[in-house]
Amino acid sequence: GSLVPYANFPTKGRNIAITAGNDGQFRKLCQMLGKPELADDPRFRTNKERVVHRLELEAELRPLLKDRDADAFSVELMKGGVPSGAVLE
C-alpha cells in the first residue's frame, strides 16, 4: 500500500480500521494513542518512511490498540481527524 498505516488492528472487541493518510493524521493518531514520540521516530516521520517500515510500525501500534474499544475509539479518532472505523465482521 502507499499509505501507512492503512490496516485493521485487533481491539478488545472487533477490529478497528485506521488510515492515517498524511503526516498530520499520523501525528494525531500517535497523540491519541498516548505515544506522541512515535511520530518523531525517523522510521515513521514521513509516509514514505512508514511505507518502508510498515511491519515495524504495525508492531508498535498493535499493543496500543489491543485493549481499546473499537467503536468508541474510532469515533474519537474521527473527531480528531483520523479516518477510522470499527470493522463490522
Side-chain angles (χ1 to χ4, degrees):
S2 58
L3 291 178
V4 174
Y6 178 77
N8 289 345
F9 296 94
T11 68
K12 69 180 181 188
R14 61 181 104 219
N15 283 0
I16 189 170
I18 297 175
T19 305
N22 60 49
D23 299 338
Q25 289 174 349
F26 178 67
R27 183 165 293 281
K28 185 72 177 174
L29 170 65
C30 294
Q31 289 167 352
M32 293 177 79
L33 286 170
K35 196 130 185 215
E37 64 274 15
L38 263 186
D40 295 318
D41 186 310
R43 298 172 298 168
F44 311 138
R45 201 171 289 141
T46 66
N47 187 68
K48 185 177 177 183
E49 291 301 322
R50 291 192 297 277
V51 168
V52 172
H53 300 283
R54 180 178 60 85
L55 295 178
E56 293 112 298
L57 178 58
E58 289 177 2
E60 292 275 355
L61 295 177
R62 227 170 269 118
L64 300 174
L65 290 158
K66 70 178 178 61
D67 295 325
R68 305 246 176 196
D69 176 274
D71 297 282
F73 194 54
S74 65
V75 169
E76 209 179 303
L77 286 171
M78 289 294 284
K79 284 181 181 170
V82 180
S84 61
V87 178
L88 305 176
E89 304 294 329

